[in-house]
Amino acid sequence: MMAELQQTPTSLCCCRKPLPASGGRCGGDSGRPSLGPGAPRCPLVDVASASNFRCFQLRHLHLDLRLNFAVKEMTGWLVLDLVPVQPGVQTLVLDSHPSLLIHSIDCKGPGAPQDEPLSLTYRVDPFTDYGSSLNISLPTTLKTGRLIHITVRYTTTDGPAIWWLDSELTCGQSRPLVFTQGHSVCNRSFFPCFDSPAVKSTYTATVRVPEGVTVLMSASRSSYSKQDRVFQFSMEFPVPSYLVALVAGELQHVDVGPRSRVWAEPCLLACAVKKLGGSVERWLAVAEQLFGAYLWGRCDIVFLPPSFPIVAMENPCLTFIIASILESSEFLLIDVIHEIAHGWFGNAVTNATWEEMWLSEGLATYAQRRITTEAYGEAFTCLETVVRLDALHRQLRLLGDNNPVSKLQVKFEPGVNPSTLMNLFTYEKGFCFVSYLSELCGDVRRFDCFLRDYISEFKFQSVVAQDLIDYFLNYFPELKDAAVATREGLEFERWLSGCGPPLYEPDLSAGGALTRPVQDLCDVWRAADPPDLQLLSTYQLTEWSTFQIVLFLDRMLDRSPLPHEVMVSLSSSYSSLFDSLNAEVQIRWLQLVVRNNFYPDLPRVRAFLHKHTSRMYTVPLYEDLVAGVMKCVAVEIFYQTQRRLHPNLRRTLQQILFQTAAAPTNQNSPALPLIPPSPSPSLSPSPAATATASSTANATAAAAGTTNGIALRDVNVSA
């Protein structure tokens, strides 16, 4: 991450560059000349934010924090450099969280440095179940256009953004670790802020830690004073609040390129470096050829323990990624490239509202696939796309074509947490729309140039969908003249606000050499119960890629329940091979085992859940175990492994197992203690597979218009 962590005096070794004047504003407020119909249109309101961010320009923010691992708290202060932009503003409203303990707030305006800060009164009001509003009364002498400094002294407790790991929950099990996860609206429990993607600013931070702790942040520059145990950080480019990220623990690094290094706990570092090698610089170079210069300087990666709640997070300069993914080289490749793509799409140009998250994820997915096509060929990219689009259509079958969460523009009701609506439509339907735009212009290289210029035009700004569409139509006037935006059945408005599947999907026939054998093998298993062993021997799964095997298993899962004889034959043919492969393959095979009540392979389920303690691999299996007739097995495994699970995951599994009401997500809340073990229940094997209850539960949920019944394997959980 960032520049070399040097042992320097406490002052920052590199002076921050001059702050952009437009740091806290959306593109349309930036002060640059209007582009007419192409000018950015930021939303008048963000229903997920309690703040009055439209009343101010946020120039810069500074954090000064002391980390206390013993009591799991961060204590310090936040300084906001604000310029009121609307007359008569008497109140500053920031997004906050009940877990933040506010100690005091003061204000310092323009004038001599010796001026005493003015203490401000404030109150905290309820907002939603994911945050509160911090209402600060401002001085009556406040003047529009004059810079003020607001200092908030506070302590974090157990908010959803901050994940404290005891040493036994880390990979090395020797020292505790803490990390933050701000997406989408969690960072209001890290520091009071304008927690909206419409607001961007630069930031600096000072972090004080115990001896032996290394701190990393999503910042472009850093320094370290060993004597004072103080880390200093500077992000010189404007970012939204959700991209301010921190991790602290026993971390070491190896440089893997001129602008990239891998960070991890010592026990993981060699493996991580071996897996990535020099690939990061290669992927960056390909991306730069396609989309223009990488804007962030550093492109570092930190591998986090299995408690990390998602697969990966595109924090600028420092991607967070779960160490569990190291098992699968192909999934690691895709996830890292996806986060690299966010350097252009999502981080440089950001969706101004969470209702249009596809502007980040759909474009990043398209960019990711352009990078893999250039680096690994079209066939590989088509195979990976088939796997994801299969999952998209699987989710549609569960939800129904008329479910509003399948829209690209999802209108949030007040109180809805944007994080709950991150789903495959955001990624894959968004990808299909971007692919359709590429198809309209008739030349993928020409569309690459469009995307490069789009980034150049809107970099470090937040945009809405109409900005992208207007820029596209103005960039290709012949398409605008041909009225492609209103072409019957493919109207842009229908793309954005219509429910159901994509109106267009790209041609994936270039991957046929990889996908046809998979479908042929699925047909062999469907045609006979069980199939001819000699015919099976012509399909050498040992020579298949991970994505081919995943596609095969996903499609066999779609056909469950399977006859018991088929499960016997599947197990005898492949289970030993799957044991030797990565967790992405194993979890799908074990879901087949559970959904078909195939008790002979139940020991493999037990072994897998004893080994893996990450949300991405535990929750899907527990959901399947509970939905069928194996709930007693799930309870027994949970009893045996619960002490090695993060408290947040433990709560989730308790809710699944015991149908408890939704518990607080805060890790230090007193509810739901460890459950003492009970005698092992007796197990009665079923002679044949029966339809699992999960399908029924999912269908019921879909009919009710909820997403609760969607299995995690059907949802992309990489940000």
Side-chain angles (χ1 to χ4, degrees):
M1 167 188 178
M2 307 153 288
E4 184 73 30
L5 285 175
Q6 302 169 13
Q7 297 178 12
T8 66
T10 55
S11 59
L12 199 63
C13 63
C14 299
C15 294
R16 186 160 45 82
K17 293 181 180 178
L19 300 178
S22 61
R25 288 180 277 192
C26 298
D29 296 330
S30 66
R32 64 179 178 81
S34 171
L35 296 178
R41 302 172 181 82
C42 282
L44 293 177
V45 64
D46 181 344
V47 297
S49 174
S51 70
N52 59 346
F53 65 88
R54 301 291 297 186
C55 299
F56 299 89
Q57 178 191 359
L58 175 62
R59 288 279 186 87
H60 184 73
L61 70 85
H62 176 74
L63 290 167
D64 193 304
L65 299 171
R66 183 179 298 276
L67 275 53
N68 188 327
F69 285 85
V71 295
K72 298 180 179 177
E73 288 182 352
M74 300 184 187
T75 300
W77 60 87
L78 160 78
V79 181
L80 299 174
D81 295 351
L82 294 169
V83 176
V85 295
Q86 294 185 5
V89 177
Q90 296 297 310
T91 304
L92 168 64
V93 184
L94 299 175
D95 290 300
S96 187
H97 193 272
S99 63
L100 287 186
L101 305 179
I102 308 298
H103 304 306
S104 67
I105 302 177
D106 59 56
C107 172
K108 194 172 183 180
Q114 62 267 24
D115 288 349
E116 286 294 320
L118 176 65
S119 179
L120 302 180
T121 60
Y122 62 91
R123 73 175 191 274
V124 178
D125 291 336
F127 176 57
T128 63
D129 62 358
Y130 57 84
S132 55
S133 65
L134 176 59
N135 300 266
I136 305 168
S137 297
L138 297 174
T140 56
T141 56
L142 193 70
K143 294 183 179 180
T144 304
R146 299 292 296 273
L147 179 69
I148 59 173
H149 308 280
I150 302 292
T151 300
V152 182
R153 289 173 172 80
Y154 71 100
T155 298
T156 70
T157 56
D158 57 352
I162 304 174
W163 294 63
W164 296 93
L165 306 188
D166 294 330
S167 57
E168 58 266 25
L169 294 179
T170 65
C171 297
Q173 300 188 0
S174 59
R175 288 179 178 268
L177 182 141
V178 63
F179 63 83
T180 65
Q181 170 57 23
H183 197 284
S184 304
V185 290
C186 291
N187 261 1
R188 61 191 68 184
S189 68
F190 182 16
F191 55 93
C193 56
F194 294 139
D195 202 3
S196 169
V199 181
K200 293 187 173 185
S201 78
T202 56
Y203 82 86
T204 48
T206 300
V207 185
R208 309 165 201 278
V209 293
E211 187 174 357
V213 173
T214 296
V215 185
L216 312 175
M217 290 191 74
S218 55
S220 51
R221 302 181 182 185
S222 70
S223 65
Y224 171 55
S225 169
K226 184 175 182 180
Q227 178 180 352
D228 300 317
R229 299 197 301 275
V230 172
F231 288 81
Q232 303 267 11
F233 301 93
S234 173
M235 169 52 85
E236 59 196 299
F237 310 107
V239 295
S241 58
Y242 77 91
L243 291 178
V244 178
L246 176 150
V247 58
E250 186 181 17
L251 299 168
Q252 296 179 359
H253 74 269
V254 169
D255 288 335
V256 294
R259 49 184 165 172
S260 56
R261 62 178 43 150
V262 171
W263 290 89
E265 294 179 66
C267 60
L268 279 178
L269 188 58
C271 174
V273 171
K274 180 180 179 181
K275 288 278 187 174
L276 286 176
S279 298
V280 176
E281 184 59 34
R282 177 191 178 196
W283 298 332
L284 279 171
V286 173
E288 287 186 313
Q289 291 172 3
L290 294 170
F291 310 121
Y294 181 71
L295 300 169
W296 302 95
R298 300 295 306 175
C299 183
D300 298 340
I301 299 168
V302 58
F303 286 91
L304 298 177
S307 294
F308 189 56
I310 59 176
V311 177
M313 181 63 205
E314 66 270 18
N315 300 309
C317 304
L318 183 69
T319 290
F320 285 15
I321 191 162
I322 193 168
S324 308
I325 206 70
L326 285 168
E327 285 197 21
S328 171
S329 296
E330 290 178 41
F331 277 80
L332 174 66
L333 176 154
I334 291 297
D335 286 318
V336 173
I337 292 177
H338 182 85
E339 306 314 319
I340 286 175
H342 272 305
W344 288 262
F345 305 98
N347 292 0
V349 182
T350 307
N351 47 282
T353 168
W354 295 118
E355 294 176 325
E356 294 184 326
M357 215 180 306
W358 74 271
L359 283 168
S360 170
E361 298 300 348
L363 280 159
T365 301
Y366 179 88
Q368 160 211 311
R369 289 174 179 152
R370 285 293 296 122
I371 296 169
T372 59
T373 297
E374 295 297 311
Y376 299 101
E378 193 173 3
F380 172 82
T381 299
C382 288
L383 170 63
E384 182 267 333
T385 306
V386 167
V387 171
R388 302 298 192 186
L389 289 181
D390 262 21
L392 177 72
H393 290 289
R394 185 177 304 116
Q395 194 170 83
L396 268 172
R397 290 195 296 272
L398 294 173
L399 292 173
D401 284 351
N402 295 321
N403 194 296
V405 304
S406 62
K407 296 180 180 181
L408 288 182
Q409 286 181 331
V410 182
K411 296 302 178 185
F412 290 164
E413 293 296 327
V416 172
N417 189 330
S419 299
T420 64
L421 291 179
M422 280 206 60
N423 55 50
L424 275 174
F425 303 103
T426 302
Y427 294 78
E428 299 303 335
K429 191 173 181 179
F431 159 76
C432 288
F433 181 44
V434 179
S435 298
Y436 176 61
L437 297 180
S438 176
E439 179 72 14
L440 284 175
C441 78
D443 182 348
V444 68
R445 298 290 180 184
R446 194 176 175 213
F447 193 69
D448 292 340
C449 292
F450 160 75
L451 291 177
R452 187 182 306 121
D453 290 341
Y454 165 78
I455 293 296
S456 178
E457 178 70 20
F458 296 109
K459 64 184 177 184
F460 303 129
Q461 300 177 48
S462 298
V463 299
V464 295
Q466 197 61 46
D467 298 324
L468 171 67
I469 289 171
D470 286 348
Y471 191 75
F472 175 80
L473 293 175
N474 290 331
Y475 197 92
F476 299 109
E478 71 278 12
L479 297 180
K480 185 176 184 179
D481 293 342
V484 295
T486 55
R487 184 173 291 175
E488 186 176 0
L490 292 163
E491 300 89 346
F492 288 3
E493 176 60 29
R494 185 176 173 188
W495 267 104
L496 296 177
S497 59
C499 299
L503 305 178
Y504 162 90
E505 292 184 9
D507 178 11
L508 302 176
S509 59
L514 298 175
T515 58
R516 273 194 302 272
V518 175
Q519 186 56 48
D520 290 346
L521 182 58
C522 290
D523 293 339
V524 167
W525 281 99
R526 181 172 57 181
D529 301 332
D532 178 67
L533 294 179
Q534 185 174 356
L535 181 58
L536 285 179
S537 66
T538 62
Y539 296 90
Q540 296 297 319
L541 266 64
T542 55
E543 299 175 2
W544 281 14
S545 70
T546 292
F547 276 118
Q548 285 178 295
I549 297 176
V550 161
L551 182 62
F552 168 65
L553 290 173
D554 278 347
R555 291 184 173 179
M556 295 302 292
L557 274 164
D558 289 340
R559 295 175 179 178
S560 291
L562 301 171
H564 182 69
E565 295 76 13
V566 170
M567 286 301 301
V568 171
S569 187
L570 278 168
S571 179
S572 63
S573 300
Y574 305 130
S575 60
S576 295
L577 170 64
F578 296 157
D579 286 344
S580 67
L581 299 180
N582 57 69
E584 293 292 336
V585 170
Q586 289 178 23
I587 190 172
R588 288 164 168 83
W589 167 242
L590 296 178
Q591 285 186 288
L592 263 176
V593 167
V594 171
R595 292 187 185 187
N596 290 279
N597 301 328
F598 188 64
Y599 283 87
D601 273 4
L602 194 56
R604 289 185 163 93
V605 177
R606 294 180 185 276
F608 185 88
L609 289 175
H610 275 268
K611 176 183 177 183
H612 292 279
T613 57
S614 64
R615 179 176 295 266
M616 60 191 284
Y617 294 136
T618 53
V619 171
L621 272 178
Y622 273 99
E623 287 180 334
D624 282 348
L625 285 164
V626 170
V629 298
M630 294 185 175
K631 180 175 179 178
C632 55
V633 177
V635 172
E636 180 183 5
I637 297 171
F638 177 74
Y639 286 156
Q640 296 166 350
T641 62
Q642 58 179 327
R643 293 185 182 276
R644 295 190 293 110
L645 305 176
H646 189 274
N648 289 356
L649 177 57
R650 194 160 63 233
R651 283 185 191 83
T652 298
L653 297 182
Q654 286 173 330
Q655 293 165 26
I656 292 170
L657 291 169
F658 308 114
Q659 303 299 306
T660 57
T665 57
N666 301 341
Q667 57 191 299
N668 296 331
S669 51
L672 298 173
L674 289 174
I675 301 174
S678 61
S680 300
S682 60
L683 305 178
S684 304
S686 171
T690 58
T692 65
S694 60
S695 300
T696 305
N698 291 335
T700 303
T706 71
T707 58
N708 294 338
I710 302 172
L712 288 192
R713 73 179 180 87
D714 300 323
V715 182
N716 188 329
V717 291
S718 169

